[in-house]
């Protein structure tokens, strides 16, 4: 472990031309490095060569200890003209303990905030517990990553950035990624073509791993105000998921009427009746006393209607989060938040 574990690899027009640009009082063969010199800031820089590539580092040990690895980096084929590859295994070796400490400290601070909140175990405390669960999920997930790759391309009509995550073998994260697989995204064709932003996924509903279940439990915990989620709601969410075909898209697009933007989500179904029954069961969660009390303390109520109206013979369920106090303090964000809290769902 080094204070500055950095190696900069530069393509040169030849070793002689590169050496002509460094200070004349450089040292040769300095502690396993071809050259070294003292910079204007008083620090030592080390220079080595692999063919016509110059390897610069701020520590005498970087190149001798990692020469073979640096050689592999030079011989690697990049997936794009611009690519950044990060080894999460190495990152966690260096900073894994620090990450655990940061998460622990964040949860501890939230715990202090919860204790000081009005009612202690009230709404604020419950929400802080939910955020703590999210931190735990994030910490567990990042430790199951092998590497991340960021690539960039410049097609004729703009710029394209791609970010990919690769899980370690044998982990729950790998199971989730395998569930993704190479599956079609047919629902994209149903989105407005001019949608400026969208999200699409297709997960195998029959291969939900433990990591996915933990994420579902966490999301339900948020709905329960941080309290433990009864098993019937977890089972209901699982049944709902299995009633789908795994496809889901979400898009922001121009409103069908008037000005502004609308948010539309589409999900493929295998069994609409089972999906509707599961959604109705999950909606019962918002009638639990602990949930009602929690939302009341937050100045919110939830109004769910199983069959608010119909489109043809298809019932439409609505769910609206109402606020006891005006949201004027949010300025122009208030109408948008109110709209986001009012959903219409049809299943057929």
């Amino acid at each position: 472990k080094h204070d500055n574990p950095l190696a900069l690899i530069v393509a040169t027009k030849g070793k002689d031309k590169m050496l002509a640009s460094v200070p004349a009082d450089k040292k040769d063969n300095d502690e396993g490095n071809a050259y070294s010199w003292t910079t204007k800031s008083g620090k030592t820089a080390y220079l080595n060569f692999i063919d016509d590539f110059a390897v610069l580092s701020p520590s005498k040990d970087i190149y001798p200890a990692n020469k073979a690895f640096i050689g592999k980096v030079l011989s690697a084929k990049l997936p794009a003209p611009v690519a950044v590859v990060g080894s999460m295994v190495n990152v966690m070796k260096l900073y894994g303990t620090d990450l655990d400490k940061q998460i622990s400290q964040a949860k501890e601070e939230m715990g202090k905030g919860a204790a000081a909140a009005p009612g202690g175990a009230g709404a604020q405390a419950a929400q802080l517990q939910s955020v703590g669960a999210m931190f735990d999920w994030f910490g567990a997930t990042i430790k199951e990553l092998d590497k991340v790759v960021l690539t960039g391309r410049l097609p004729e009509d703009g710029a394209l950035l791609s970010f990919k995550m690769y899980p370690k073998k044998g982990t729950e994260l790998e199971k989730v990624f395998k569930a993704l697989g190479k599956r079609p995204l047919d629902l994209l064709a149903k989105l407005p073509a001019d949608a400026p932003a969208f999200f699409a996924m297709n997960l195998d509903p029959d291969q939900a791993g433990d990591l996915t279940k933990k994420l579902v439990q966490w999301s339900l915990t948020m709905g329960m105000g941080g309290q433990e989620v009864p098993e019937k709601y977890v089972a209901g969410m699982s049944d709902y998921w299995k009633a789908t075909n795994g496809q889901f898209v979400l898009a922001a697009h121009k409103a069908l009427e008037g000005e502004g933007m609308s948010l539309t989500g589409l999900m493929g179904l295998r069994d609409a009746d089972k999906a509707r029954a599961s959604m109705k069961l999950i909606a019962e969660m918002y009638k639990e006393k602990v949930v009602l009390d929690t939302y009341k303390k937050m100045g919110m109520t939830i109004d769910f209607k199983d069959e608010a109206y119909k489109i043809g013979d298809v019932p439409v369920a609505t769910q609206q989060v109402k606020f006891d106090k005006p949201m004027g303090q949010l300025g122009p964000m208030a109408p948008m938040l109110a709209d986001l809290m009012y959903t219409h769902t049809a299943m057929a």
Side-chain angles (χ1 to χ4, degrees):
K1 185 175 181 179
H2 306 279
D3 292 334
N4 192 356
L6 175 70
L8 177 64
I9 305 172
V10 182
T12 73
K13 292 184 178 180
K15 179 178 178 180
D16 293 341
K17 290 185 177 181
M18 182 66 185
L19 288 175
S21 67
V22 303
D25 61 348
K26 63 183 181 298
K27 293 181 181 179
D28 296 348
N29 300 317
D30 186 10
E31 299 190 76
N33 294 274
Y35 306 96
S36 70
W37 64 89
T38 302
T39 65
K40 292 182 179 179
S41 62
K43 296 182 179 180
T44 303
Y46 297 89
L47 172 64
N48 294 276
F49 289 92
I50 298 179
D51 297 328
D52 286 334
F53 289 92
V55 183
L56 295 152
S57 59
S59 171
K60 65 181 181 180
D61 300 322
I62 294 294
Y63 180 78
N66 299 281
K67 182 178 179 180
F69 172 73
I70 293 172
K72 290 181 180 180
V73 171
L74 286 172
S75 62
K77 293 183 179 180
L78 294 179
V82 178
V84 178
V85 181
S87 170
M88 297 308 297
V89 174
N90 289 341
V91 167
M92 294 312 298
K93 284 181 179 178
L94 291 171
Y95 306 111
T97 302
D98 294 334
L99 176 66
D100 291 339
K101 288 181 179 178
Q102 290 295 325
I103 291 177
S104 178
Q105 289 174 3
K107 291 172 64 178
E108 184 177 346
E109 290 300 318
M110 287 190 299
K112 292 178 181 178
Q124 184 176 350
Q127 293 303 315
L128 290 174
Q129 292 173 10
S130 299
V131 176
M134 181 187 69
F135 284 166
D136 287 337
W137 178 83
F138 171 78
T141 300
I142 201 170
K143 290 178 182 179
E144 294 191 344
L145 284 173
D146 178 48
K147 64 181 177 181
V148 296
V149 179
L150 176 67
T151 58
R153 299 179 185 276
L154 294 173
E156 293 182 358
D157 59 346
L160 177 64
L161 288 177
S162 175
F163 180 74
K164 295 183 179 181
M165 299 182 292
Y166 295 83
K168 294 178 183 175
K169 293 187 180 299
T171 60
E172 289 298 326
L173 188 61
E174 184 188 37
K175 295 179 183 178
V176 173
F177 278 36
K178 284 183 176 180
L180 280 167
K182 293 183 178 180
R183 295 169 59 82
L185 297 173
D186 301 329
L187 292 181
L188 282 177
K190 298 184 179 295
L191 296 179
D194 59 351
F198 69 89
F199 168 81
M201 73 173 190
N202 189 347
L203 289 169
D204 187 341
D206 298 319
Q207 294 187 29
D210 289 341
L211 197 63
T212 307
K213 292 177 182 177
K214 288 178 183 177
L215 183 58
V216 168
Q217 286 179 317
W218 169 74
S219 64
L220 289 175
T221 299
M222 291 290 285
M224 287 286 294
Q227 304 299 316
E228 184 177 352
V229 182
E231 180 58 32
K232 65 178 180 179
Y233 298 127
V234 177
M237 181 61 82
S238 177
D239 291 341
Y240 176 83
W241 179 241
K242 290 179 180 179
T244 75
N245 65 8
Q247 284 203 64
F248 175 74
V249 295
L250 182 69
H253 56 86
K254 184 178 179 181
L256 299 180
E257 296 181 359
E259 298 181 353
M261 304 290 288
S262 289
L263 193 65
T264 298
L266 299 175
M267 177 171 279
L269 295 179
R270 296 190 289 192
D271 190 321
D273 291 336
K274 286 185 178 180
R276 194 180 298 113
S278 297
M279 185 178 72
K280 188 175 181 179
L281 170 63
I282 296 168
E284 292 294 316
M285 181 175 72
Y286 296 103
K287 297 180 182 179
E288 296 276 352
K289 184 178 184 303
V290 63
V291 177
L292 291 173
D293 291 344
T294 297
Y295 279 83
K296 184 177 181 180
K297 291 175 182 177
M298 297 171 67
M300 299 163 53
T301 56
I302 295 179
D303 181 22
F304 176 81
K305 295 179 180 178
D306 183 37
E307 295 189 19
Y309 59 95
K310 288 187 175 183
I311 299 176
D313 60 351
V314 179
V316 180
T318 61
Q319 181 170 299
Q320 183 177 16
V321 179
K322 298 179 180 179
F323 297 86
D324 296 342
K325 297 179 181 179
M327 295 187 293
Q329 68 271 23
L330 295 176
M333 294 289 289
M336 183 184 74
L337 184 60
D339 286 344
L340 287 174
M341 295 295 184
Y342 192 8
T343 60
H344 301 244
T345 305
M347 298 184 182

